[in-house]
Amino acid sequence: NISRVTLHNFDEILKKDLRIHDKVIIIRSGDVIPKIIKPIKEYRSGLEVIITPPTKCPDCNTKLYYEDVLIKCHNLECPSVVINSIIHFVSKKGINCDGFGKKIVALLYNEGLIKNILDIFHLKYEDLMALESFKEKKSINLIDSINNTKNKTTLKSFINSLSINNIGEVASEKIADKFGLDFINASEEELIQIDGFADILAKSFVQFISINKDLIQKLLQIINPIIPEIKNINNIFTGKTIVLTGSMKRPRDEIKQELLSFKAKVTSSISKKTDFLIYGEKAGSKLEKANSLGVTTINEEEYQRLTYHS
């Protein structure tokens, strides 16, 4: 018996004119996934019901937003997304809370100790010690790590930690640079003025803030994000397209952030448009491809020298 089939998105329902109570033709797409091809309209009795798009999230009753063919819930406290939102919030690309991995997030959530991002900062030593898998040192280290994020998180990392649809590291940095702590009040018109910001990014950001503004304001009462002084550093890498590969002595993400501060573009694949490949040990196929395309290659030590002496 087939109980579930794929329809991809709501546009497919409209395109195929599917209705509740329809009889349909189903095939196995790729010999694996059941897929609806079309309704059998000659079997319609007149009792079929036109399917209307949802306006509220079925899990949290929050207003849904449409982005092209996708329907999204932006609520950070929605039960369907809350665990993943917490995991991203504490990750290295978020507030970088050491020792707070996926398993710990799941454990604390399932134990009822955290139900949203804000609850992280209300955790107590006694809460952790009551758990079988937590000993004294582990409990102390996690509480210390949480407290350390309060004054060591940059504004761009804080914005990126919020899991805003379509807003990644680069966009978060641009927003932090332009608005500072007033990012929470940025309008679509103001956001579109940022270089590289399309309408969909601005709309997604504003919609997300409108849903989560209260939570974000409470977080900002706890976290004091660092707003670095904007430096106009120009060097050989400014405006260039760069790829990183191999094992580096410095954390690769640290080098990436440094390059972004020089207004360089960091990509993951080599092409004729790549200006530099910066490589460490065991560089492998990317180094070979860069050499074959005539891309300039430099090792980590050369990068350091060129960064501050070019």
Side-chain angles (χ1 to χ4, degrees):
N1 292 334
I2 297 173
S3 59
R4 294 176 182 272
V5 293
T6 180
L7 271 173
H8 300 297
N9 53 59
F10 194 79
D11 270 13
E12 285 289 293
I13 295 174
L14 296 177
K15 189 187 299 181
K16 297 179 189 298
D17 187 26
L18 292 167
R19 302 181 185 185
I20 296 171
H21 305 310
D22 263 340
K23 288 182 172 60
V24 297
I25 296 174
I26 297 174
I27 64 166
R28 286 195 176 276
S29 180
D31 293 327
V32 179
I33 303 171
K35 177 182 178 181
I36 292 178
I37 296 299
K38 64 178 182 178
I40 307 175
K41 294 184 179 180
E42 52 266 36
Y43 284 144
R44 284 181 174 169
S45 65
L47 297 176
E48 290 76 20
V49 180
I50 294 174
I51 302 170
T52 56
T55 57
K56 297 286 184 72
C57 174
D59 281 339
C60 68
N61 205 38
T62 300
K63 180 181 177 182
L64 294 170
Y65 287 94
Y66 287 71
E67 293 182 8
D68 196 14
V69 297
L70 301 178
I71 307 173
K72 295 183 178 181
C73 175
H74 287 308
N75 182 15
L76 282 175
E77 299 182 82
C78 178
S80 291
V81 301
V82 68
I83 290 182
N84 284 333
S85 70
I86 295 171
I87 289 171
H88 182 72
F89 183 76
V90 297
S91 71
K92 287 184 178 180
K93 292 186 176 182
I95 64 171
N96 193 17
C97 188
D98 289 336
F100 217 142
K102 295 180 181 179
K103 291 183 179 179
I104 291 179
V105 171
L107 172 64
L108 297 180
Y109 182 83
N110 292 332
E111 291 291 334
L113 293 176
I114 55 174
K115 287 300 179 186
N116 58 36
I117 290 169
L118 196 62
D119 287 344
I120 292 169
F121 299 98
H122 297 148
L123 281 171
K124 298 177 182 177
Y125 170 78
E126 295 78 15
D127 296 331
L128 300 178
M129 284 296 291
L131 301 174
E132 186 177 342
S133 59
F134 272 82
K135 304 300 181 185
E136 182 178 4
K137 186 176 180 181
K138 185 176 180 180
S139 300
I140 291 172
N141 286 345
L142 186 56
I143 295 297
D144 285 346
S145 183
I146 292 169
N147 287 331
N148 286 338
T149 65
K150 295 177 182 178
N151 295 304
K152 292 186 177 180
T153 301
T154 62
L155 181 57
K156 66 180 180 182
S157 295
F158 176 78
I159 294 172
N160 192 51
S161 74
L162 297 174
S163 303
I164 306 173
N165 286 319
N166 303 311
I167 305 296
E169 293 175 82
V170 175
S172 295
E173 183 175 18
K174 289 181 177 181
I175 292 168
D177 285 348
K178 182 173 179 63
F179 299 102
L181 288 174
D182 199 41
F183 74 89
I184 202 167
N185 297 312
S187 67
E188 285 186 40
E189 292 75 18
E190 291 172 321
L191 287 161
I192 291 171
Q193 293 174 19
I194 298 175
D195 182 43
F197 257 65
D199 288 355
I200 189 170
L201 271 70
K203 188 180 291 293
S204 182
F205 185 85
V206 170
Q207 289 173 350
F208 180 91
I209 295 295
S210 69
I211 294 292
N212 299 285
K213 194 167 189 175
D214 184 58
L215 177 63
I216 296 169
Q217 287 175 328
K218 288 177 180 177
L219 286 168
L220 289 172
Q221 291 173 2
I222 297 170
I223 297 175
N224 183 29
I226 300 168
I227 307 174
E229 181 182 347
I230 299 172
K231 299 177 181 178
N232 293 316
I233 301 175
N234 292 308
N235 57 29
I236 193 173
F237 303 112
T238 300
K240 302 299 183 182
T241 299
I242 299 168
V243 174
L244 302 173
T245 192
S247 300
M248 306 286 190
K249 294 176 182 176
R250 291 171 60 192
R252 187 181 294 190
D253 195 57
E254 183 179 301
I255 297 174
K256 178 182 175 181
Q257 293 304 317
E258 188 172 61
L259 286 164
L260 291 175
S261 75
F262 303 150
K263 308 305 177 188
K265 180 181 179 182
V266 181
T267 62
S268 58
S269 57
I270 295 286
S271 72
K272 291 181 179 180
K273 294 182 179 180
T274 305
D275 296 298
F276 291 99
L277 173 74
I278 301 171
Y279 65 91
E281 296 180 4
K282 300 177 182 178
S285 60
K286 285 186 179 180
L287 180 58
E288 293 176 6
K289 185 173 181 179
N291 286 329
S292 69
L293 292 174
V295 172
T296 301
T297 62
I298 55 175
N299 60 34
E300 187 176 0
E301 289 72 22
E302 290 173 310
Y303 163 72
Q304 289 295 113
R305 180 178 58 80
L306 290 169
T307 297
Y308 299 104
H309 299 285
S310 61

